[in-house]
Amino acid sequence: MDTSKGGVGSSYGSGGLFSASRHKPFPSLFPSYPTAVTCDVLYVGILTAFLVILVSFFVIFPTFKGREEKIKIFLRVASCMILGLVIMVCNYGQQWEVGVITTSAPYRAGSGQEIRAQLGLYLGLRSVNITLKTIDDPRGDLAGEKIDYNERFTWTWAQGNAGFGPNAGTFQREFRRAQETGLPLPILWAAEYFTIDGEGVRFGRHYRYSGWFAHICVWTAFPLWIVTMVLFKMVIRIAAQTLALTGIMLLSSALIWATNRNYTELQIPFEDGILTTRFGVHWYLALVTGSVCTVVGVAIYLYDYCHPGSSTLSAIFGNNPYNIVEQETRVEGEEKAIPTSLPGTRKSTMQTAGRRVVTTLRVFGTKHCLKKVTHVPGGEWISSPSFTQATDMVSEDDGDDGGEGDSSGILTQPIAKSTSFLTLERGYSLQDQPEDLPSHSHSQTFENQAFQDTDEEPGPSSKLLGEV
C-alpha cells in the first residue's frame, strides 16, 4: 500500500511518538498483569500522614535555642506523635492475631496438581487477610504460573442470617463470591472456618464481637489523645488523667481481644501440619502502649498532687502558669548596671526586684502597697536607705498633677529583695491596705503612665488586677 498519497495507513506508517503499543489503526492495547495486593492503602496513608508531620517538625527543629530546650521539645513532640500513630495503626492494622504455615495443598478443584506454598492468616479488628504464595516453582499443568494471592474477608458488622443468601452476614456473602470467582482451595479452606456458626464452632462470631468492642475502645482513645495534648499546655493534673484514660482504653481493647474468644482455639489442619494463631504486633502495641500511658498518667497525677505547682513538671511540658498571671515588664533600650549600696547584691537580683515592684505599683499605684509587698529576710519591713529613696520617689509621683508616676525612675534606684504580691502568705488580704489608698482613677492613671514610659500596652492580667 502506498502511504505517500495520504491513504488510511499514511498516518500510522511513520512509526511516530504516539504509535507505541498500538495495533494499527486501533487504540493502544496492554495485556493484563494481575498482581497480589502489596500493601493496604489506608494503612500506608496513615503512616504517611504522621511521617509528614514528623518531617515538618524536624525541619524547624534546629531553630529552637538551647540544647536542653531542644531535648525537651523533641521528647514532647515525638512522644505525642508516636502515641497518635500507635492508636491509628492499632485501629486499622491487620496483625492483631497471626498464623503462618508452609504446606503442600491442592491448588484447584478437580485437579490433582499440588503446590508447595506458604499460607498466612492475618486477623484485624474488621477483617481477616488470607495470603497464599508458592515457595517452589509449580510443575506440570501449573508450570510458569505465578501464584501470589492476598484476599481480604470482612465481617463489619452485622452477623446476618444463617447461610449465604442476600440477608446473610458480610463474611458469608464474600465467601460465596470467592467460591464463584474460583480462588485457590487453601484460601477457601481457611476462610470456611469463619463462616460456620453453630454448636461450639463460632470463630467468626467471636472475632467479630472482639473486633467490634476493641475498635470502640481504640476510637475512644483517639480523641482522648488529642485532649491530652491540649491540656498538657494548660492544666497538667487534668492532662495526666486524660493520658491515663487513653492508656486504659488501649489496654481494654487488648484485653477484650484476648478474652472474648471461642471455647476451642482456631486450628486449621493441612497436610504438613496444623495452622494455629498467636497474638500479633498490633495487639502487643495496644497492650504495651496502654500500660505505659496508664502508669505514666497516674505517676504524673500523683506527683502533681503531692507537689502542686511543681516547676519540674512545668519545665518538662513547657507549661509555665506564671506567664499567665505575671506581666513581664521590659525596659526600653539596653539595661545598664544598677548601682547598689547593699553589700553582696548582684545585678540580676536587683533587676528582678525592680520588675516586681513596678508590676505592683502599676496595679495599685501607691507607696503603701510597696511597703506591704517588700521585705527583707528577718521578718521586718524595709527601712533601708534604698527603700526610703524608692518610696520618696513614689511620694513625689503621687504629688504630681493627676497622680501620674514615672515607673522608669524606680528601676534606676537600688531596691532590696522583693516578693510579688501574687506569692504572699495566705494570711495577707487586700483588705489590709491603709484607708488612704488612692482611688481607682489614680491607680489607672499611674498604670497608663507606666506603660507609656515603657512603650508597652497594658496586658489583660494587669487591667484585670488594676480593677480589683
Side-chain angles (χ1 to χ4, degrees), residues 42-323:
L42 181 59
Y43 190 84
V44 174
I46 293 172
L47 294 176
T48 304
F50 281 89
L51 182 62
V52 168
I53 298 176
L54 285 176
V55 170
S56 302
F57 167 71
F58 289 138
V59 170
I60 66 173
F61 182 72
T63 61
F64 298 103
K65 297 180 180 180
R67 180 179 179 183
E68 184 178 354
E69 187 67 18
K70 285 184 178 180
I71 294 175
K72 292 178 182 178
I73 294 175
F74 175 80
L75 292 178
R76 289 199 301 265
V77 175
S79 59
C80 288
M81 291 296 101
I82 291 175
L83 178 57
L85 179 61
V86 168
I87 292 174
M88 296 305 296
V89 162
C90 290
N91 198 351
Y92 290 98
Q94 284 295 132
Q95 294 191 29
W96 280 73
E97 204 163 325
V98 178
V100 179
I101 188 174
T102 301
T103 183
S104 298
Y107 180 62
R108 294 172 179 170
S111 174
Q113 185 70 34
E114 290 189 352
I115 58 173
R116 183 74 177 174
Q118 184 182 70
L119 182 72
L121 201 65
Y122 303 91
L123 294 112
L125 301 182
R126 298 168 177 81
S127 58
V128 54
N129 272 33
I130 304 177
T131 62
L132 180 68
K133 186 175 183 179
T134 55
I135 297 177
D136 302 329
D137 294 335
R139 301 178 181 179
D141 298 340
L142 304 176
E145 184 172 349
K146 183 179 180 179
I147 301 176
D148 188 1
Y149 288 85
N150 189 345
E151 300 294 329
R152 173 172 293 183
F153 300 88
T154 61
W155 51 59
T156 53
W157 284 107
Q159 179 65 29
N161 298 335
F164 304 93
N167 295 325
T170 305
F171 196 102
Q172 284 77 3
R173 288 185 276 113
E174 290 186 358
F175 177 76
R176 179 63 75 192
R177 285 195 295 268
Q179 288 180 318
E180 296 173 352
T181 304
L183 291 181
L185 288 179
I187 295 178
L188 297 176
W189 174 250
E192 188 177 6
Y193 275 74
F194 296 90
T195 62
I196 303 173
D197 190 62
E199 300 299 333
V201 183
R202 299 178 183 269
F203 300 112
R205 179 185 290 269
H206 283 87
Y207 279 119
R208 183 177 61 84
Y209 281 163
S210 301
W212 168 254
F213 292 110
H215 106 283
I216 290 177
C217 293
V218 176
W219 267 129
T220 306
F222 183 75
L224 287 174
W225 164 69
I226 297 177
V227 173
T228 300
M229 291 191 298
V230 175
L231 288 178
F232 265 128
K233 301 298 293 183
M234 301 172 63
V235 186
I236 295 180
R237 185 178 299 183
I238 300 179
Q241 297 176 5
T242 56
L243 178 62
L245 288 176
T246 304
I248 290 174
M249 289 296 103
L250 289 175
L251 189 60
S252 299
S253 65
L255 295 178
I256 289 173
W257 183 271
T259 55
N260 188 21
R261 307 177 67 85
N262 194 63
Y263 298 106
T264 57
E265 293 294 329
L266 177 62
Q267 297 181 351
I268 304 176
F270 284 93
E271 182 176 342
D272 295 341
I274 298 177
L275 176 62
T276 57
T277 59
R278 65 183 186 279
F279 294 123
V281 60
H282 294 130
W283 184 85
Y284 283 108
L285 274 177
L287 180 67
V288 174
T289 306
S291 302
V292 171
C293 289
T294 304
V295 173
V296 172
V298 173
I300 294 175
Y301 177 84
L302 293 178
Y303 185 88
D304 187 72
Y305 182 81
C306 298
H307 305 84
S310 173
S311 59
T312 303
L313 292 179
S314 299
I316 293 175
F317 296 103
N319 179 7
N320 188 1
Y322 297 105
N323 289 338

Side-chain angles (χ1 to χ4, degrees), residues 336-342 345 350 386 389 411-415:
K336 298 181 180 180
I338 302 177
T340 177
S341 59
L342 300 178
T345 305
M350 302 305 296
S386 59
Q389 296 173 8
L411 293 181
T412 61
Q413 298 296 328
I415 302 176

